[in-house]
Amino acid sequence: MATHWADFQYEIYLHGMTGAVPRLPTDLSRLEELAEHRLGPGPFGYVAGSAGTGSTARANRAALDRWRIVPRMLRDVHERDLSVELLGRSIPAPLALAPVGVLSIMHPDAECAAARAAAARGVPYILSSASSTPMEQVAEAMGDGERWFQLYWAKDREVTASFLARAKAAGFTALFVTLDTPLLAWRPRDLDQAYLPFLHGVGTANYFSDPAFRAGLAKPVHEDPNAAVMHFVGMFADPAKTWPDLAFLREHWDGPIVLKGILHPDDARLAADAGMDGVVVSNHGGRQVAGSVAAADALPRVAEAVGDRLTVLFDSGIRTGDDIVKALALGARGVLVGRPYAYGLGLDGQAGVEHVIRCLLAEFDLTLALSGHSGPASLSPDDLVSDTPVEGSA
């Protein structure tokens, strides 16, 4: 049975009869400002910050805003079904929580709170390799909720293989491999605070709990935490990886593999040729390449190149329900949301994350209906126009 996501608005209005109003804004773009006032400059800057001047993050929003929806009238949208099939799984709406690391800097319940929120609302949770909580604990927290695992592809092959085996054993069904972070970008907000949680052993829980990682230490983690941190830093990323290395992942993971950080259609084709199952069109929310192409500007070309061969997902800039409509119309099969749920977590724990999910999907449901669609499948580029002036026009 389809979930009636739009009913959330009536729930809010009915609660208002008793004088109750939502604890957090329903315009999710306001969460960032609230979080800035309530969280420390280090943790807030780590989530809000981007590479360089922030031009890529701004471009992500500008690219989505340039597209305008063209509503259609007198179509039967009384019954709507937002459910989709992604990576062989039936999902109640085309939304997943993006992998965001070190969530303990936002809230003490960290990844477990976000995972429980996702499970409670039926949307997939993608756990970051760089989580503050071991993957097994997060899996336990979300019960039989749909969970996918994001891999930062370490230099150490044994640690990578161990991560994949642990994720599989803990019930993670799909693997998301982040390709756009072989090095940390120049991030002035973090640099100005000299703030990198990993150096304090935050965001290293999967590593410090891993037998292959611990085998490379002279002493147990608790006896020499600094040595453990330096061991982590030395293996965290590998700028030497190339396309043929994907074969190693396929040997060690028998479920779907999705490459995250694809912006060029030729890279998407290489992913398909390498036997991958999907790509995420993403520029890491503007956190990696200053001056990068906006993710929404890259999406149509990638979808056109491989949409018939791979599951194309999208992230980087999703803040509203209409953003989801636009991304799906441009060729994505589903979207990932990151910063808004991290702010929701920081402001109100699990309840804050659930609020973000419900707001996004209620607005998505309503925007779909009011645009003349009863489900995601009927969306196409024909439902959008660009407000960018045509070149050469007066």
Side-chain angles (χ1 to χ4, degrees):
M1 185 178 158
T3 304
H4 296 107
W5 296 102
D7 289 351
F8 185 39
Q9 72 165 331
Y10 297 113
E11 185 181 313
I12 292 171
Y13 288 135
L14 286 171
H15 283 156
M17 302 286 287
T18 65
V21 298
R23 287 164 58 89
L24 295 178
T26 54
D27 172 358
L28 301 180
S29 68
R30 292 177 54 208
L31 295 180
E32 182 171 334
E33 186 182 353
L34 270 182
E36 185 169 17
H37 286 116
R38 293 199 205 165
L39 301 172
F44 173 75
Y46 187 80
V47 174
S50 299
T53 64
S55 67
T56 304
R58 291 192 297 274
N60 284 337
R61 284 301 318 154
L64 284 164
D65 286 342
R66 273 197 304 274
W67 289 105
R68 314 306 298 172
I69 299 164
V70 184
R72 300 297 304 276
M73 299 299 120
L74 291 175
R75 293 178 167 187
D76 184 355
V77 294
H78 173 65
E79 286 294 334
R80 298 179 303 284
D81 183 358
L82 271 52
S83 65
V84 292
E85 186 163 304
L86 294 178
L87 305 172
R89 317 294 287 189
S90 183
I91 309 296
L95 175 76
L97 297 193
V100 179
V102 295
L103 284 177
S104 62
I105 67 174
M106 301 302 281
H107 192 278
D109 291 343
E111 290 80 13
C112 287
R116 283 194 300 267
R121 296 298 158 191
V123 302
Y125 177 68
I126 310 175
L127 178 69
S128 172
S129 282
S131 63
S132 329
T133 315
M135 62 182 89
E136 293 82 2
Q137 203 173 317
V138 176
E140 189 178 347
M142 66 186 306
D144 59 1
E146 186 65 36
R147 50 189 174 270
W148 301 335
F149 183 70
Q150 177 268 346
L151 179 71
Y152 279 120
W153 197 351
K155 279 181 188 171
D156 189 314
R157 290 163 75 93
E158 295 304 315
V159 170
T160 298
S162 180
F163 269 31
L164 300 185
R166 289 171 61 196
K168 188 54 108 177
F172 292 87
T173 59
L175 178 66
F176 282 64
V177 187
T178 296
L179 299 183
D180 58 19
T181 314
L183 301 163
L184 276 186
W186 187 255
R187 297 177 185 169
R189 287 185 87 150
D190 296 337
L191 290 163
D192 290 350
Q193 299 286 332
Y195 186 82
L196 188 61
F198 304 113
L199 297 185
H200 302 279
V202 179
T204 56
N206 284 317
Y207 298 83
F208 288 5
S209 62
D210 191 81
F213 179 90
R214 293 199 304 243
L217 299 174
K219 296 179 181 176
V221 174
H222 67 275
E223 285 185 23
D224 194 347
N226 286 340
V229 165
M230 296 319 294
H231 188 50
F232 161 80
V233 169
M235 77 164 60
F236 175 70
D238 184 3
K241 290 277 195 300
T242 59
W243 291 94
D245 291 309
L246 290 170
F248 176 82
L249 298 180
R250 183 46 86 198
E251 285 167 27
H252 290 84
W253 185 266
D254 57 8
I257 301 179
V258 179
L259 302 185
K260 185 173 183 290
I262 298 297
L263 294 166
H264 196 291
D266 287 350
D267 283 347
R269 292 185 187 100
L270 287 168
D273 294 343
M276 300 295 102
D277 300 278
V279 294
V280 185
V281 177
S282 166
N283 57 29
H284 215 101
R287 291 168 65 77
Q288 279 301 100
V289 178
S292 166
V293 61
D297 285 339
L299 175 59
R301 293 174 67 211
V302 170
E304 189 179 348
V306 297
D308 58 340
R309 301 169 68 191
L310 299 177
T311 298
V312 176
L313 303 174
F314 173 84
D315 77 24
S316 299
I318 295 289
R319 297 291 178 271
T320 65
D322 58 284
D323 290 340
I324 302 175
V325 170
K326 293 172 184 179
L328 298 184
L330 292 172
R333 295 273 305 283
V335 305
L336 317 184
V337 64
R339 286 185 180 96
Y341 92 77
Y343 298 139
L345 176 69
L347 293 165
D348 201 17
Q350 178 182 338
V353 180
E354 288 197 51
H355 175 82
V356 168
I357 294 168
R358 297 187 78 191
C359 286
L360 267 177
L361 290 179
E363 188 178 17
F364 172 55
D365 189 0
L366 291 163
T367 305
L368 259 188
L370 292 167
S371 303
H373 300 274
S374 58
S378 60
L379 288 168
S380 78
D382 292 340
D383 296 301
L384 304 178
V385 295
S386 173
D387 67 5
T388 306
V390 176
E391 202 172 320
S393 65

